[in-house]
Amino acid sequence: AGGDVTRALMLDKSDKVAANALIGLWREQVASRPSDPNSHLGLARALQVAGDLTAAQAEYKTVVQLNPSHPHLPAARQSFKLALAKQEAKKAYDLAQSLEKEGALSAAYQKASDAVGLYPSDKNYKAYWETLGEKIRAQGIPAAPPPLSPEAAAQLAALAQPGEQPPQASLP
């Protein structure tokens, strides 16, 4: 049953019924086996898939406390970093759209650049960034790729583990 709920949630991230069911199953598992890192890892993943990254991070920290050399931690860490970058990119994209509606094209362009830099594989972010660039150029303003904003650069740096290089921003 848990696998079916996980698949349902993966197909539709907004399915709150599936999210709550999956999280509930893993919470029961953690309650019955509080010292089992695999139970906490399952709960962390369920929370992450449901979009609750703050709670997921707390569970991942519990896994590290219980078993710092757990074989699934490297993959979990990468998955979490990607989810966090995706979430931050969405915030930047949404802000870019709001700024554009207010007529602040240059600021919108910067935020769209941040979204592309944080999550370069999203084609919608890139297309939107390019569209904003065209609108800016149509007004006679040069639209060279701006550097990431200090906030986006800090977010990328925060995704790196100590001693590890942060992910590279990939602007078109």
Side-chain angles (χ1 to χ4, degrees):
D4 291 339
V5 174
T6 302
R7 279 188 290 283
L9 189 54
M10 294 298 288
L11 291 172
D12 181 4
K13 303 264 188 213
S14 66
D15 187 343
K16 297 299 179 196
V17 173
N20 290 335
L22 184 62
I23 292 168
L25 288 170
W26 280 109
R27 286 197 192 283
E28 288 175 17
Q29 183 71 15
V30 166
S32 69
R33 302 177 68 193
S35 298
D36 176 29
N38 290 323
S39 297
H40 289 278
L41 193 62
L43 178 56
R45 181 70 180 134
L47 290 163
Q48 180 181 322
V49 169
D52 188 348
L53 299 185
T54 302
Q57 186 174 31
E59 285 301 319
Y60 284 129
K61 286 180 180 180
T62 301
V63 175
V64 171
Q65 290 170 349
L66 293 171
N67 183 357
S69 59
H70 191 287
H72 296 292
L73 274 176
R77 188 172 285 123
Q78 283 305 110
S79 174
F80 183 76
K81 287 178 185 181
L82 180 62
L84 188 59
K86 190 174 186 178
Q87 180 183 60
E88 294 304 314
K90 175 77 168 106
K91 288 178 188 176
Y93 175 76
D94 290 345
L95 182 54
Q97 290 183 316
S98 294
L99 289 165
E100 180 190 13
K101 286 177 185 171
E102 295 171 8
L105 285 180
S106 293
Y109 184 71
Q110 176 64 61
K111 286 300 170 187
S113 294
D114 290 351
V116 172
L118 288 163
Y119 199 66
S121 64
D122 190 298
K123 292 176 182 164
N124 291 327
Y125 295 167
K126 185 176 180 182
Y128 180 64
W129 177 77
E130 290 170 346
T131 299
L132 286 175
E134 290 169 10
K135 288 180 179 183
I136 288 172
R137 282 187 292 280
Q139 293 180 352
I141 302 168
L148 288 177
S149 69
E151 298 86 11
Q155 289 167 345
L156 276 175
L159 293 175
Q161 286 295 96
E164 168 182 287
Q165 291 295 318
Q168 293 299 309
S170 173
L171 294 176

